[in-house]
Amino acid sequence: MKGYLKLATGETYEGTWQGSQGDFCGEVVFFTGMTGYQEVISDPSFRGQIVVFTYPLIGNYGINESDFESFRPQVAGVVLSETDSLGDHWQSQNTFVDELKTRGIPILTGVDTRSVVQRIRAVGDIPGVLTTIQDQATPDFHSIYKRNWIKEVASSQIQNIGSGNPHIPHIGLIDFGYKKSIVNVLIDLGCKVTIIPFEKAEATIESLKPDGLLLSNGPGDPKQLSPYLEGIERLALAYPTLGICLGHQLLALAFGGDTEKLKFGHRGANQPVQDLQTGKVGMTAQNHSYVVTEESLGNTDFLMNFRNVNDGSVEGMVHKTKEIASVQFHPEGHPGPADFQSIFTDFVTMIQHRKEGHTAGVGGTRSYLNEEADPTQCKGGKVYAEA
């Protein structure tokens, strides 16, 4: 059966339709990784988006039980050049296409994905619709941006994961649509993790009194959570805090910074980021449409400590005097590299030292969560290419 991807800007791309029939609207974005498609479709940060995979062959190692980042696929639809109908891998339990079909998510294959991506890069992320009707009228796309995707993916119940041993670090993870891999890294580092719904965060944390807080990733515009910013600031000032992706943006907003929407976002497993203290560049996994504006950090007590090499955007910040830090990228990887997974190690080590009564701040953490950041060490040069 023929199917179509129709963009709000007027272009139509034809392909072969697989999966549930109907009209499926979403923001059309692209992902540049060669692998990791299972993690991508199940990452809550992709909620409400139609994902165009740039690598020409997707699905060749199938789907397994362990690589889901949430309990189900979250994307609104998938657009591919070509897919493998078998999925040949010893862990594979289903094919990529069959998994999406079972979950009611449309797949459009045989599409000129290069052309779609060129269009997105020219005009930015674009609302679109996947449909089987060639002359289907263009729907009203405004609802895509008004919808609060965060509330659709965030937990509604408190969950405890890991040991109840009171001597190990206890991390309160404020959930805006967290990835399972973040929790896995913390558990592997010997932590107990409590997943806390963001709407109940202050009251819950006051009763739990964890050793540290992690603000998770999630979908959508961080300014949709403006009513919660004062509470986020109070919590971050009271506990050692690490923010990831959306959590990073929320910390900036809570302390007086600002965010803006990128033209076509950062999504992929190959985004180069420079540590401004050491000058070293590492590769990162990313998935976001919004960034913290560098000039707005002047209104806060944060210093930028990571920069995107491609476009110069803010990729991380650290508070000048408090144990608060955040990163725009995903240090846990999945999919993608774990070049900066030491951020988790530093965070947990610092908390463990505090718990044992040692001096706050951990040697070797450089610009991450230091007790007092050195502003002369977080400047860095503009080594990036102009976008």
Side-chain angles (χ1 to χ4, degrees):
M1 176 188 295
K2 286 186 178 181
Y4 307 91
L5 170 65
K6 295 189 172 185
L7 303 182
T9 48
E11 296 80 10
T12 298
Y13 300 86
E14 182 179 305
T16 300
W17 185 276
Q18 302 190 61
S20 301
Q21 295 187 39
D23 295 337
F24 298 83
C25 293
E27 186 178 43
V28 183
V29 302
F30 63 89
F31 179 83
T32 58
M34 294 173 63
T35 59
Y37 52 81
Q38 182 173 346
E39 293 92 333
V40 168
I41 65 169
S42 58
D43 181 348
S45 297
F46 278 105
R47 183 76 168 183
Q49 295 180 327
I50 296 171
V51 180
V52 180
F53 286 90
T54 62
Y55 192 66
L57 177 63
I58 296 294
N60 58 316
Y61 55 87
I63 295 287
N64 62 62
E65 286 293 328
S66 63
D67 286 337
F68 284 107
E69 289 295 340
S70 62
F71 67 96
R72 57 154 290 165
Q74 303 286 352
V75 296
V78 169
V79 178
L80 308 172
S81 174
E82 183 181 354
T83 187
D84 189 307
S85 60
L86 296 177
D88 187 13
H89 190 274
W90 68 272
Q91 286 183 309
S92 178
Q93 296 171 304
N94 202 359
T95 68
F96 183 55
V97 169
D98 286 346
E99 182 69 27
L100 291 175
K101 283 182 177 179
T102 301
R103 304 288 190 162
I105 295 172
I107 315 102
L108 193 65
T109 63
V111 177
D112 183 356
T113 52
R114 179 181 175 87
S115 177
V116 179
V117 172
Q118 285 178 327
R119 183 59 179 158
I120 294 172
R121 286 183 62 89
V123 302
D125 294 333
I126 312 169
V129 59
L130 286 171
T131 180
T132 55
I133 303 173
Q134 185 173 10
D135 57 353
Q136 177 70 281
T138 302
D140 180 3
F141 292 113
H142 292 297
S143 61
I144 295 174
Y145 296 105
K146 292 179 180 178
R147 196 162 161 181
N148 193 321
W149 301 106
I150 301 166
K151 290 188 176 182
E152 294 188 18
V153 296
S155 304
S156 59
Q157 302 295 325
I158 298 170
Q159 306 168 55
N160 292 303
I161 305 172
S163 170
N165 184 343
H167 301 293
I168 66 174
H170 180 195
I171 308 299
L173 189 153
I174 303 177
D175 178 25
F176 304 101
Y178 77 95
K179 286 175 59 183
K180 181 188 71 174
S181 291
I182 293 174
V183 175
N184 288 347
V185 172
L186 294 173
I187 296 299
D188 289 345
L189 289 172
C191 298
K192 172 186 175 181
V193 180
T194 299
I195 310 298
I196 302 167
F198 73 89
E199 294 177 300
K200 306 174 182 177
E202 276 203 277
T204 302
I205 290 167
E206 184 178 350
S207 62
L208 285 178
K209 293 183 169 52
D211 301 307
L213 301 179
L214 191 150
L215 277 63
S216 83
N217 61 293
D221 183 349
K223 290 181 180 177
Q224 287 186 313
L225 295 183
S226 293
Y228 300 93
L229 294 178
E230 289 185 7
I232 289 171
E233 181 185 20
R234 286 191 292 268
L235 289 170
L237 289 172
Y239 295 90
T241 300
L242 175 64
I244 295 176
C245 200
L246 178 62
H248 156 80
Q249 298 160 14
L250 291 171
L251 282 170
L253 291 172
F255 282 83
D258 196 11
T259 58
E260 65 181 2
K261 197 172 191 294
L262 289 167
K263 184 176 181 181
F264 47 79
H266 297 158
R267 297 177 188 87
N270 49 9
Q271 290 281 334
V273 167
Q274 184 187 33
D275 180 332
L276 296 185
Q277 186 163 340
T278 67
K280 294 182 178 180
V281 173
M283 302 304 292
T284 66
Q286 299 196 18
N287 173 24
H288 58 98
S289 296
Y290 295 83
V291 290
V292 175
T293 61
E294 183 175 353
E295 60 272 17
S296 75
L297 292 183
N299 302 322
T300 75
D301 286 324
F302 283 108
L303 298 169
M304 180 170 65
N305 59 348
F306 290 106
R307 186 191 292 278
N308 189 289
V309 174
N310 289 334
D311 64 9
S313 58
V314 177
E315 289 284 359
M317 59 188 192
V318 60
H319 198 277
K320 294 177 184 178
T321 60
K322 301 294 184 180
E323 293 165 335
I324 310 169
S326 61
V327 289
Q328 181 62 77
F329 53 88
H330 284 269
E332 77 283 356
H334 295 276
D339 291 14
F340 291 109
Q341 202 168 97
S342 58
I343 290 172
F344 287 109
T345 307
D346 295 337
F347 179 55
V348 172
T349 302
M350 179 270 294
I351 288 174
Q352 185 64 53
H353 280 206
R354 284 174 54 96
K355 195 172 180 66
E356 294 171 354
H358 300 308
T359 303
V362 179
T365 59
R366 303 193 307 276
S367 54
Y368 325 133
L369 285 159
N370 285 334
E371 186 178 28
E372 185 169 358
D374 181 353
T376 67
Q377 298 300 313
C378 295
K379 293 181 178 178
K382 290 193 174 182
V383 300
Y384 56 92
E386 296 292 343

